[in-house]
Amino acid sequence: MKIVDLGDFTVDTQARRLYRQSEELAAEPKVIEVLCYFIQHADRFVSLQELHQQVWQGRVVTDTAVRRTISKLRTLLGDNDTEQPKYIRSQMKRGYQLVCPALPGEEPAVQSHAAVETNAAKKNKLIQSHWLKQLVAGSVVSALVLVVAFVLLASPVHLHTDYLQVELDIPGQKASLALSPDGHYQAFVGRVNSGDKWQLYLHNRQKGQLAKVSTPVPHVRFVDFVANGAAMAYVGFRQNVAELYIQPVADLAAKPQQYVLPGLSILAGPLALPNNQMLIAGGESYNGNIHYYQLDISTGQYSQFSF
């Protein structure tokens, strides 16, 4: 079979292409090759050794590299439940097997080149819009600083300091400041002493209340408001491995939801997008490439956004 319907996906095994609802998905070549090999041998388990020999064709790669490729395939298919897999199951000492029926399919009605370019342009416009807002905000802040400096230098005698107000005065260091879209909340990470771990804080600006947010991960470094300000997305580290959580703002006692991005041990800079979407920077190591990934908060599925 050249064209195979696989659950919510369509696979062109000859051209090595993967589609979902007529939209081609970006994936590494080895990821698609492993999927096609699983389809070809769907009646049995495929061992790691066989994948080494048939997919990597004798190239020297570690078992970890092969497992990472399979993990990327599962993520691409949204198959993250290892106990009840929808597409690929694994069994110790036997290997992996495709559990979703692979049925003969029809050539997908792929979007035209113009439509693909239009979608890409929309994504780029969205990113550019966000960074433009950040640039404008930074320019406004810089302008205000210059104005204040000019006033201080030009007329120090007439400066009315009673107009200045400290909004939040707590000791220690603070970083990764985020403001909710309605301006109701501020979120930031902070620590009192340089040897302490960074903790997550939420400031209710209307009530003037500051709350330290309990987090499953001991060392929080990045935070932003997502879901139109209804939740905080924060990244913490446990033994140099990043973990991503989303915490509802309305109930800080609720258990936060963890989002696992297999293969990405480094995460940074969560960034809110409309429609329950967010961007997050990620990579396999500090020395490797860092890319942006788009995450759907409602489903937990994500895809590489920048290349």
Side-chain angles (χ1 to χ4, degrees), residues 139-305:
S139 300
V140 170
V141 171
S142 300
L144 288 175
V145 170
L146 290 175
V147 170
V148 171
F150 176 79
V151 172
L152 286 172
L153 293 174
S155 55
V157 176
H158 302 290
L159 179 63
H160 297 286
T161 57
D162 54 321
Y163 292 128
L164 303 177
Q165 181 179 355
V166 177
E167 182 170 337
L168 187 62
D169 185 13
I170 59 174
Q173 299 171 295
K174 306 163 196 67
S176 189
L177 176 67
L179 182 67
S180 63
D182 59 3
H184 193 149
Y185 293 99
Q186 289 174 325
F188 63 92
V189 297
R191 60 184 181 181
V192 176
N193 301 305
S194 60
D196 297 340
K197 294 184 182 300
W198 292 90
Q199 304 294 316
L200 178 62
Y201 293 88
L202 181 67
H203 178 220
N204 187 324
R205 302 179 68 212
Q206 293 185 352
K207 297 181 179 180
Q209 296 175 345
L210 179 66
K212 179 180 177 181
V213 182
S214 178
T215 60
V217 67
H219 186 67
V220 180
R221 290 298 285 131
F222 305 96
V223 62
D224 193 17
F225 287 95
V226 295
N228 199 29
M232 293 180 291
Y234 62 88
V235 174
F237 287 83
R238 191 193 312 272
Q239 297 179 347
N240 294 326
V241 177
E243 298 179 9
L244 171 64
Y245 293 89
I246 293 185
Q247 172 74 56
V249 172
D251 186 5
L252 298 181
K255 183 179 180 181
Q257 183 174 355
Q258 182 178 6
Y259 289 78
V260 179
L261 282 65
L264 301 179
S265 59
I266 305 302
L267 298 173
L271 183 66
L273 294 177
N275 302 322
N276 275 340
Q277 305 287 316
M278 64 173 285
L279 289 181
I280 188 162
E284 296 181 2
S285 68
Y286 288 104
N287 298 324
N289 294 326
I290 301 296
H291 300 285
Y292 265 107
Y293 294 83
Q294 182 170 347
L295 171 66
D296 188 320
I297 298 173
S298 57
T299 64
Q301 294 187 3
Y302 71 98
S303 58
Q304 190 168 331
F305 188 88

Side-chain angles (χ1 to χ4, degrees), residues 134 269 306:
Q134 296 292 325
S306 65

Side-chain angles (χ1 to χ4, degrees), residues 18-19 23-29 31-32 72 76 302-305 307:
L18 178 66
Y19 304 88
E23 179 183 358
E24 184 175 358
L25 302 181
E28 297 177 14
V31 172
I32 301 298
K72 291 179 180 179
L76 190 64
Y302 71 98
S303 58
Q304 190 168 331
F305 188 88
F307 295 87

